[in-house]
Amino acid sequence: MKTKLFILFSIISIGLFVSDIKANPNGKNIFTSKGCAACHQPAVDSVGPSLKNISSAYKGNLGQLIDFLKGNGKPLLEKGKFAGQYDSVMKLQLNQIKNLPAKDLKDLAQFILSH
Ligand code: HEC
């Protein structure tokens, strides 16, 4: 009985540890504190594309998303509902994050891709 409980607790704590890495608290914190959440919701397109749609456009390509966040990449979602909104809306937002330390940009990109 004790062994079973121990195994159960181990599985739960490993699970929590892994989901913590996936959710990336530092990335989430940057995302919220820089005001990104005002235009980007987790699963529904609003002013900007949802994190889920951004994540599927980048297909797990962390380096490409980091390039975009640094202001060096071309937007992938600049069509349909968001046509013409990169230059007028999103490009300005990048000014406040493109000079963040590399680790912060990586955490931010990982947070976005976790959706
Ligand atoms: C005022 C609204 C607004 C805010 C605030 C905002 N965005 Fe955006 N974002 C947009 C719009 C509109 C688009 C769609 C244009 C485009 O595809 O780039 C977009 C697109 C994006 C994309 C997809 C780029 C692509 O490849 O198409 C990413 C990634 C992104 N935003 C990240 C962020 C981050 C990180 C922040 C916070 C620093 C942020 N956004 C803040 C409006 C906003």
Side-chain angles (χ1 to χ4, degrees), residues 35-36 39-40 47 49 54 58 68 75-77 85-86 89-90 93:
C36 316
C39 296
H40 296 286
V47 181
I54 296 175
Y58 280 84
F68 175 80
L76 301 180
L77 294 166
Q85 291 193 42
Y86 174 67
V89 185
M90 190 52 218
Q93 306 301 323

Side-chain angles (χ1 to χ4, degrees), residues 25-85:
N26 183 42
K28 186 178 184 176
N29 187 27
I30 298 167
F31 189 81
T32 323
S33 66
K34 297 289 180 187
C36 316
C39 296
H40 296 286
Q41 302 209 12
V44 192
D45 289 344
S46 53
V47 181
S50 70
L51 296 180
K52 211 172 158 207
N53 278 342
I54 296 175
S55 179
S56 41
Y58 280 84
K59 300 187 179 83
N61 200 332
L62 191 68
Q64 193 186 6
L65 181 54
I66 293 175
D67 274 349
F68 175 80
L69 297 175
K70 281 186 191 160
N72 298 333
K74 281 206 180 112
L76 301 180
L77 294 166
E78 259 284 87
K79 52 184 173 326
K81 188 178 170 188
F82 301 105
Q85 291 193 42

Side-chain angles (χ1 to χ4, degrees), residues 85-98:
Q85 291 193 42
Y86 174 67
D87 280 319
S88 59
V89 185
M90 190 52 218
K91 206 175 176 182
L92 288 172
Q93 306 301 323
L94 295 177
N95 287 334
Q96 50 164 344
I97 54 164
K98 63 184 179 194

